[in-house]
Amino acid sequence: MAMAMMRRTVAAELRKGIKSCMQQREVVGSYSSSSAGFSVLLENQSLVVNRTREFWSLGLGCWAQQQVRLASTEIVSHTNGDDRGLLRVLKAEIEHEDVAYYPPRILARGPPQPFTLTDTAGKPEVILRRSFGEEDIALTCVTQPSDFVGGGGGDSYNEEHEDQDPDEHRVVNVKVSVTKGADQPVLEFSCLCQPDSIAIEHVCYLESKDLKDTFYDGPEFSTLDESLQKQFERYLDARGINGELSNYLLDLLEDKEEREYIRWLRNIELFLKK
């Protein structure tokens, strides 16, 4: 996951440097006798070359070269007045994603037993279900598009977080619903999945799903007595809602986000080709 975060951050940096080189090349061409203009151009070219060499040392060389080609194509496309430029960039991005994408190994084994997974292409949510005695348990979480394309929150975000462990920022909101039969009340937990743990943020008792907004939904979880908090945590743990499941959901949601992004690219490409 750290390598995936590195790729996302570096993509923005490479594209920014390459765009500067290409834009300045146009400026230099208008006053080719200017030594200052060539100096600025060479400085940016050197930055891109040096950074690319660093990525080779990290095993990301081929990927970095793809980013160079993608950014170059993107600049050239801006001069075209029809859809061909957009199609070229889409094709380059799809080719890059096809090479760079690989599902985490943990997903090949499926969800921790006895959970079953519902994951429909094109829909943002994934649902895990299981039975526990007379209970029906469903965990629902939604993909949360963030910084995985093009460097995310921008240069200021990347600079602020570049020295931090990417795992520290991997979180997924999940809703856990526990019922005892159809049309019965629901015990609902709002949780936050983090590496190796699931944190409860709120517990709500719903007498009816259709009247959710009319009921008192309970206090903030952090204000409860610590012994009561621990018992709620044990309640979920006894049902297999634990650190192992949290790690699976984190990988699943990141993988789904990548898959949906590729699907989105292909759908737009097909639309433009019609």
Side-chain angles (χ1 to χ4, degrees):
M1 290 308 153
M3 192 66 74
M5 182 69 72
M6 181 183 298
R7 288 202 307 267
R8 296 196 290 269
T9 302
V10 166
E13 183 179 342
L14 273 175
R15 294 187 190 189
K16 182 178 179 181
I18 296 163
K19 288 179 183 180
S20 297
C21 288
M22 299 187 72
Q23 290 165 350
Q24 287 163 5
R25 182 176 290 114
E26 295 177 1
V27 174
V28 169
S30 65
Y31 57 99
S32 58
S33 60
S34 169
S35 60
F38 277 108
S39 177
V40 172
L41 175 60
L42 292 174
E43 180 180 348
N44 279 278
Q45 287 177 325
S46 177
L47 171 64
V48 174
V49 170
N50 289 337
R51 290 296 283 154
T52 303
R53 286 174 178 169
E54 291 179 27
F55 303 139
W56 273 111
S57 68
L58 294 171
L60 296 172
C62 292
W63 177 85
Q65 287 184 333
Q66 290 172 344
Q67 290 299 312
V68 170
R69 290 194 296 272
L70 178 60
S72 301
T73 303
E74 183 176 341
I75 292 294
V76 172
S77 70
H78 290 168
T79 65
N80 296 328
D82 55 29
D83 295 340
R84 287 176 295 177
L86 177 56
L87 279 168
R88 278 198 295 271
V89 177
L90 283 169
K91 181 179 179 181
E93 182 71 1
I94 291 170
E95 289 176 351
H96 157 64
E97 290 296 328
D98 285 341
V99 172
Y101 169 72
Y102 55 93
R105 291 183 179 180
I106 188 175
L107 301 183
R109 300 192 298 267
Q113 293 297 318
F115 287 96
T116 59
L117 172 65
T118 300
D119 179 2
T120 303
K123 291 189 176 181
E125 74 274 5
V126 297
I127 303 174
L128 291 178
R129 291 186 173 90
R130 68 159 297 178
S131 297
F132 185 81
E134 298 180 351
E135 300 173 354
D136 294 317
I137 302 172
L139 288 79
T140 305
C141 43
V142 178
T143 52
Q144 300 160 326
S146 52
D147 61 344
F148 110 40
V149 180
D155 294 339
S156 60
Y157 179 91
N158 294 330
E159 291 173 2
E160 180 182 353
H161 296 86
E162 64 180 356
D163 296 327
Q164 299 183 19
D165 184 350
D167 275 355
E168 294 180 3
H169 303 286
R170 295 178 62 213
V171 295
V172 168
N173 293 307
V174 58
K175 180 180 71 176
V176 180
S177 300
V178 183
T179 60
K180 295 185 177 181
D183 301 321
Q184 294 298 312
V186 182
L187 186 59
E188 184 177 281
F189 296 79
S190 297
C191 302
L192 195 65
C193 288
Q194 305 170 95
D196 301 318
S197 68
I198 288 185
I200 301 174
E201 297 202 315
H202 194 77
V203 181
C204 182
Y205 175 78
L206 306 176
E207 294 185 23
S208 170
K209 293 181 179 180
D210 299 329
L211 301 175
K212 182 174 181 178
D213 295 334
T214 64
F215 289 100
Y216 170 69
D217 62 357
E220 290 296 322
F221 187 76
S222 60
T223 65
L224 296 176
D225 183 85
E226 288 189 9
S227 61
L228 185 55
Q229 292 184 41
K230 289 185 179 297
Q231 290 303 319
F232 273 125
E233 291 167 355
R234 290 175 180 173
Y235 177 90
L236 292 184
D237 186 68
R239 288 153 178 78
I241 304 171
N242 51 29
E244 179 187 3
L245 188 66
S246 180
N247 290 338
Y248 174 81
L249 284 171
L250 289 170
D251 285 334
L252 176 65
L253 267 291
E254 183 169 338
D255 179 70
K256 182 172 178 61
E257 189 175 327
E258 297 240 8
R259 287 185 282 112
E260 292 298 337
Y261 175 57
I262 295 172
R263 183 176 182 275
W264 176 80
L265 289 171
R266 294 189 185 281
N267 285 340
I268 294 177
E269 182 187 39
L270 290 172
F271 176 85
L272 294 173
K273 286 181 176 180
K274 288 183 178 179

